Amino acid sequence: MSRQTAQRWHKAPPQHAKNKKPPLPSALKKVAADLGVEVPEAADDRRDPAYPRRVVEAFLKAVGYMNPDGSLVEEIQQKGGGRWLPVRPTIDPTGRGRTPKLRYYVPHVAQELDYSSTQALEQARSKGRIPDPDGYDELFRPFWYIETLEQHKKDRGQRRRKAEPEEAPDGHDEEGRPYKLL
């Protein structure tokens, strides 16, 4: 990756003058804080601080540049403009435990929820049919966890069953229970 890209990740995202919020930390500093790792200050103002290797690896896995085994992902070409999105769900660097938590981005969510395209998913999302994202990653892309998607699938199935009208019974027996004729 280029030095310019690494410098952009080190810098905090631009803030508008209207915002009264405190400035956001840089992506690498956010990962370091989430992991509880101290980042030494640079000796010179013109240089970036030296981040520990595990912080950089966790960041690269989180944004989709590295596979879980530490190898670099294959390069993909994205049609049109917009942000680069990873081929597969990425690892959440803040996840604790044996199996890392995975972040699902818009293309993965569209595939998981059986939408024909990401545009169809975005339309459904703008109409409030998709749950809000679980968070935004270090590059400010929305992501969901698999638990949220599975819960949405289950809720969606229940809503569809409720929307389908039941057939009227053919009659009722002496005790008032409905029955259907064969």
Side-chain angles (χ1 to χ4, degrees), residues 141-159:
R141 303 175 295 191
F143 68 86
W144 292 261
Y145 293 121
I146 191 67
E147 297 85 16
T148 305
L149 300 178
E150 287 175 352
Q151 182 63 40
H152 175 69
K153 279 192 220 177
K154 192 167 86 173
D155 293 346
R156 183 174 63 181
Q158 289 173 352
R159 284 193 310 270

Side-chain angles (χ1 to χ4, degrees), residues 5 67 71 102 122 130 146 157 162 171-172:
T5 301
N67 292 320
S71 62
L102 295 178
E122 289 295 346
I130 304 295
I146 191 67
K162 287 180 184 175
H172 297 279

Side-chain angles (χ1 to χ4, degrees), residues 60-179:
L60 292 175
K61 288 177 184 177
V63 296
Y65 282 101
M66 281 184 118
N67 292 320
D69 64 359
S71 62
L72 293 176
V73 298
E74 63 278 358
E75 183 135 350
I76 62 163
Q77 295 295 323
Q78 182 175 342
K79 294 180 182 176
R83 296 180 180 172
W84 177 84
L85 290 167
V87 180
R88 291 178 290 284
T90 63
I91 296 173
D92 188 357
T94 62
R96 311 273 190 251
R98 290 191 105 90
T99 58
K101 228 174 177 183
L102 295 178
R103 295 174 173 175
Y104 287 76
Y105 295 95
V106 171
H108 313 126
V109 172
Q111 184 178 7
E112 190 71 28
L113 297 179
D114 298 325
Y115 280 90
S116 59
S117 66
T118 57
Q119 289 83 10
L121 176 82
E122 289 295 346
Q123 279 184 339
R125 191 172 157 211
S126 68
K127 293 177 181 175
R129 295 182 189 150
I130 304 295
D132 290 334
D134 290 321
Y136 291 85
D137 73 355
E138 294 75 15
L139 300 179
F140 306 105
R141 303 175 295 191
F143 68 86
W144 292 261
Y145 293 121
I146 191 67
E147 297 85 16
T148 305
L149 300 178
E150 287 175 352
Q151 182 63 40
H152 175 69
K153 279 192 220 177
K154 192 167 86 173
D155 293 346
R156 183 174 63 181
Q158 289 173 352
R159 284 193 310 270
R160 283 184 180 167
R161 277 194 293 281
K162 287 180 184 175
E164 294 173 2
E166 284 189 26
E167 292 182 27
D170 291 329
H172 297 279
D173 62 8
E174 301 85 38
E175 296 173 9
R177 291 181 297 213
Y179 64 86

Side-chain angles (χ1 to χ4, degrees), residues 24-81:
L24 295 170
S26 72
L28 287 169
K29 284 184 181 175
K30 181 179 181 304
V31 171
D34 289 343
L35 291 174
V37 175
E38 189 69 31
V39 177
E41 289 297 320
D44 187 352
D45 286 343
R46 295 176 295 163
R47 297 179 53 99
D48 298 334
Y51 290 95
R53 182 180 184 87
R54 72 180 234 195
V55 171
V56 175
E57 282 183 359
F59 172 74
L60 292 175
K61 288 177 184 177
V63 296
Y65 282 101
M66 281 184 118
N67 292 320
D69 64 359
S71 62
L72 293 176
V73 298
E74 63 278 358
E75 183 135 350
I76 62 163
Q77 295 295 323
Q78 182 175 342
K79 294 180 182 176

